[in-house]
Amino acid sequence: MSNENQLIVEDKDTDKEKDKKRDKKDIVKNVAIVFLCIMLALTFFSNTIMNYSLAQVATTAVDSGEIIKEIPISGEIVAEDPYEVTVKESRKISGVAVKEGAHVKKDDILFYLDDIESEEFLAEKKNLDDLELAYDKELFSGNVPDDVITNVRKGKKSSHDKLQSELKAATDRYDAALDADRAAQAQIDAITQKASTDSADSAYNAATPGYTLAQAQADLADAQARGDEDRVEDLQKKVDELTKDQSQLTNLGTQLDADNQKKLAAATAEKARTAAELETATKEKEKVLASLGSEIGLTDLKDKIAESKAKLAKLEAESTGATIKAPVDGIISSINKVAGEKTNAEEPVAVIQVDGKDMTLECSVKVEQAKRVKVGNVAELTNPYSFEKPEEFKAILKSIRNDKKDPANMKVLTFKIQSSEVTPGQEVSLKMGEKPKHYDLIVPNNAIKGADNRNYVLVLTEKSSPLGNRYIATKVEVNTLDSDSKNTAIEGNLPEYCSIITTASKAIEPGDQVRLAEK
C-alpha cells in the first residue's frame, strides 16, 4: 500500500473514534437533561404537596380608626301595669271619642255605642224563654204524677234521702217479686222433670213382669196342649202371681202420675200469682222512677230558670249604656276598635297608661358590654332632634339580668323612661358608655395573640425562592392600648403596609410557613 492510501485509512479511523466520543457526550448530556427535568418535577410536586399541607391564613391590613365603647340601646316602650278597658257585652261602636296619645281623665268618654240591647242580653233572654217552654211542656205532659206537679209548683224539693228511700222500697219490692217468680218457675221445672222421670220408671217397671207373664202364659198353653196336669197347675199359679204384680205396678204408675199432675197444677197456680206480683212490682218501680225523674228534671229546669233570670237581671244592671268611659286617669296608649266594629266580652277596646305608672324599655346586650354599666346609669337619646323637649327625656338603668335566651353570653338591660312625649309601643334608640376614641393603629380582636400583658401579632412575611414566593408567620410584639367588641388599638414596631394574620385553618406558631386563603 502506498503512503497516500495509508494516510486515508488512518484518517477514516480517526473520524470513527471522534464520532464515538461525540455520541457518548450526547448520551451523557441527554441523561443529565432528563435527570434535571425529573428533579425539577419532583421538586415542583413536593413543593405543591407541601403547600397544601400548610395552614391557610386570612390577613388584614393595619389601619387607623376608632374604638367604640358606646353601647347602642334600642327597644320598644312598654307601659308598666297598663289598664285594659273592657266591656262585658257585645255592642256595636258608633264612634271613637279619643285618639292614641291623648290624655284622659276618669269618666271621659272613649267610645259611643249603638243604643240597642247587647247580644249577650238577647241571647240570655232567648235562653230563658226556651227554659220556661220546656218546663211547661214537661209539667203538663201527662206523665208527671199530680203530687209531683203540686210539690214542684210550690217549690217543695224532696231531699236525696227521701228520693233514695222511695227508690229503695220500690226496688226491694221488685227484687222480692222477681225472686219469688223465679222460684215458682224453678218449682214447675223440677216437678215437670220428676213427672217425666217417674213416668219412664213406671213404664219400665210395668214392662218387666209383662214379658215374664207372656212367657209363662205361652208355657201354660203348651203344657195344656200336652195334657201335663202337674205342670199346668204350677204354671197357672205363676201366671196368676205375675198378673197380680203387673196390675199393682200399673196402679202405682197411675198414682205417681196423678200426684205429679196435682203438684204441677199447684206450682202453675203459684207461678201465676208470682207473675202477677212481679208485674205489679215492675209497674210500681217504673212509676217511682218516672216520678223521681220528673221531679228531678222539673226541679233542675226550675233552678235553671231562676239562674237565667238572675243572669238577665245582672246583665241589665251592668249594661254599658250608650258610651264607654275612661275608668282611670292616663294616656291612651292604644285604641283597638273603630266605628262600625263590635266589642267582644272581656276583649280590651283600649289600653291606658295610668298616670304615675312607669314606662320601661328593655334591650339585650353582650356580657362584656353589660360589665361597663351599672344600675343608676343614664342613657342618652341617639337622635334627640326627634323630640320637641329632649331635655325632659330621661332613661335610667333600672336593672341588669341574665337573658333567658342566652344567659351565658347576653344580659338584659331595663331602663325606666321618663318623658311626656313617648307612648307605649314607640321605638326609641339610646346610647350609653364612653365616647369613641381615635387611634393610629387598630386591628381585629382575633389578631391579638399572647397573654399576661405580653401580646403579639403575627405579620405575614414574604420570601422569594426559585419555585415561587413563600409566606412566613413572623412574631411582632405589641402593646394593647384599648379595645371594644370588634377591634383593639395597638402600638409596636410594625413594618409599613404589613398584613396581619387574623385567622388560620389550624394552629400556627411564630416562624411557621403558611399559605394565603384563596379569594
Side-chain angles (χ1 to χ4, degrees):
M1 182 180 297
S2 63
N3 290 333
E4 184 177 351
N5 291 334
Q6 186 177 0
L7 289 172
I8 292 171
V9 171
E10 289 178 355
D11 289 339
K12 289 181 178 180
D13 291 338
T14 302
D15 291 338
K16 288 181 179 179
E17 289 178 359
K18 289 181 178 179
D19 289 339
K20 289 180 179 179
K21 290 181 181 180
R22 190 162 43 249
D23 291 340
K24 288 181 179 179
K25 288 181 180 179
D26 290 340
I27 291 171
V28 170
K29 182 176 70 174
N30 291 336
V31 169
I33 290 172
V34 171
F35 176 76
L36 288 174
C37 289
I38 292 173
M39 291 300 294
L40 286 172
L42 291 175
T43 302
F44 175 77
F45 284 118
S46 65
N47 188 64
T48 301
I49 293 171
M50 183 187 70
N51 280 340
Y52 277 106
S53 67
L54 298 176
Q56 190 178 44
V57 299
T59 63
T60 185
V62 181
D63 201 356
S64 62
E66 292 182 338
I67 297 298
I68 302 173
K69 288 193 174 183
E70 281 185 343
I71 304 172
I73 308 294
S74 64
E76 184 179 295
I77 300 295
V78 177
E80 209 173 68
D81 192 21
Y83 193 103
E84 295 183 340
V85 182
T86 61
V87 292
K88 296 182 178 180
E89 54 188 8
S90 298
R91 296 280 294 277
K92 186 177 180 180
I93 294 175
S94 60
V96 182
V98 293
K99 294 181 179 180
E100 290 184 358
H103 187 273
V104 295
K105 293 287 186 179
K106 184 179 179 182
D107 293 331
D108 283 353
I109 295 175
L110 305 180
F111 298 91
Y112 294 99
L113 304 174
D114 283 353
D115 194 14
I116 58 173
E117 292 177 328
S118 70
E119 292 180 2
E120 287 79 7
F121 184 87
L122 295 174
E124 192 57 43
K125 190 174 182 181
K126 183 179 182 306
N127 180 52
L128 177 59
D129 292 340
D130 292 342
L131 288 171
E132 289 179 335
L133 179 60
Y135 173 78
D136 290 339
K137 284 184 176 181
E138 178 65 22
L139 192 66
F140 301 106
S141 63
N143 300 321
V144 184
D146 288 341
D147 59 331
V148 172
I149 294 177
T150 302
N151 289 337
V152 171
R153 292 183 66 186
K154 289 182 178 180
K156 293 181 179 180
K157 186 176 181 180
S158 299
S159 66
H160 285 176
D161 290 340
K162 182 177 181 298
L163 296 176
Q164 182 180 359
S165 176
E166 291 179 2
L167 180 59
K168 184 177 184 306
T171 302
D172 289 345
R173 286 194 298 271
Y174 171 80
D175 291 342
L178 182 61
D179 290 342
D181 189 62
R182 287 174 177 173
Q185 184 61 49
Q187 183 67 15
I188 290 174
D189 294 341
I191 292 172
T192 302
Q193 180 64 34
K194 185 176 182 303
S196 178
T197 302
D198 288 348
S199 178
D201 290 344
S202 296
Y204 177 78
N205 291 335
T208 301
Y211 171 78
T212 306
L213 175 61
Q215 184 63 46
Q217 287 174 341
D219 291 342
L220 177 61
D222 183 64
Q224 287 174 343
R226 291 195 314 270
D228 189 350
E229 296 295 337
D230 291 336
R231 183 162 177 73
V232 168
E233 185 179 354
D234 291 337
L235 288 172
Q236 187 62 54
K237 289 180 179 180
K238 186 177 182 179
V239 168
D240 293 341
E241 289 176 358
L242 289 172
T243 301
K244 182 180 179 181
D245 291 342
Q246 187 180 39
S247 177
Q248 288 177 347
L249 288 172
T250 301
N251 292 335
L252 180 60
T254 302
Q255 183 63 41
L256 283 174
D257 184 58
D259 290 343
N260 285 331
Q261 289 300 321
K262 184 178 180 180
K263 290 179 180 178
L264 183 59
T268 302
E270 178 63 15
K271 176 67 171 65
R273 185 188 67 79
T274 58
E277 287 186 355
L278 179 60
E279 184 179 1
T280 301
T282 301
K283 289 181 179 179
E284 288 181 358
K285 183 178 179 181
E286 290 174 351
K287 181 180 179 181
V288 169
L289 287 174
S291 176
L292 295 180
S294 297
E295 183 174 352
I296 292 171
L298 286 169
T299 302
D300 181 60
L301 280 172
K302 194 168 185 179
D303 290 342
K304 287 181 178 179
I305 289 171
E307 290 174 3
S308 180
K309 287 181 177 179
K311 187 175 181 180
L312 204 59
K314 185 178 180 181
L315 285 171
E316 192 171 11
E318 294 179 351
S319 177
T320 305
T323 60
I324 299 176
K325 297 180 179 180
V328 293
D329 296 351
I331 296 173
I332 302 295
S333 59
S334 68
I335 295 291
N336 302 331
K337 295 291 181 180
V338 298
E341 291 185 332
K342 286 185 178 181
T343 65
N344 297 315
E346 305 305 327
E347 178 187 5
V349 294
V351 179
I352 298 177
Q353 169 61 31
V354 183
D355 287 350
K357 297 286 186 178
D358 290 337
M359 287 187 289
T360 61
L361 179 147
E362 288 188 352
C363 180
S364 186
V365 300
K366 294 181 179 180
V367 170
E368 56 267 22
Q369 291 176 317
K371 289 179 180 179
R372 300 203 295 265
V373 297
K374 61 183 179 180
V375 174
N377 286 168
V378 178
E380 300 177 7
L381 284 166
T382 301
N383 184 12
Y385 304 106
S386 60
F387 288 80
E388 293 182 3
K389 300 178 180 179
E391 68 278 1
E392 294 182 0
F393 183 94
K394 281 189 179 181
I396 304 170
L397 184 57
K398 185 178 179 181
S399 68
I400 304 172
R401 68 178 190 276
N402 289 334
D403 189 335
K404 293 181 179 179
K405 296 180 180 178
D406 188 6
N409 301 305
M410 304 297 288
K411 294 281 187 179
V412 174
L413 307 183
T414 302
F415 294 86
K416 177 182 176 181
I417 305 299
Q418 297 176 352
S419 173
S420 60
E421 296 184 63
V422 296
T423 58
Q426 181 180 345
E427 290 285 340
V428 174
S429 296
L430 309 172
K431 59 184 179 180
M432 64 187 308
E434 300 176 12
K435 293 183 177 180
K437 292 183 181 180
H438 188 274
Y439 292 92
D440 293 334
L441 302 176
I442 62 170
V443 295
N445 290 337
N446 57 2
I448 304 298
K449 315 294 180 183
D452 299 328
N453 295 324
R454 301 182 64 182
N455 298 318
Y456 66 92
V457 295
L458 293 176
V459 177
L460 191 70
T461 303
E462 185 176 353
K463 293 184 178 181
S464 299
S465 70
L467 296 177
N469 294 335
R470 293 186 177 183
Y471 299 99
I472 308 298
T474 304
K475 178 180 178 181
V476 176
E477 294 185 353
V478 296
N479 293 325
T480 57
L481 304 177
D482 203 353
S483 66
D484 58 21
S485 60
K486 294 182 179 179
N487 300 312
T488 298
I490 60 173
E491 63 178 5
N493 189 20
L494 294 172
E496 191 174 5
Y497 306 117
C498 64
S499 296
I500 304 297
I501 296 175
T502 54
T503 60
S505 60
K506 60 182 180 179
I508 58 174
E509 297 292 336
D512 286 353
Q513 185 177 340
V514 298
R515 63 188 176 98
L516 289 174
E518 297 179 0
K519 296 183 179 180

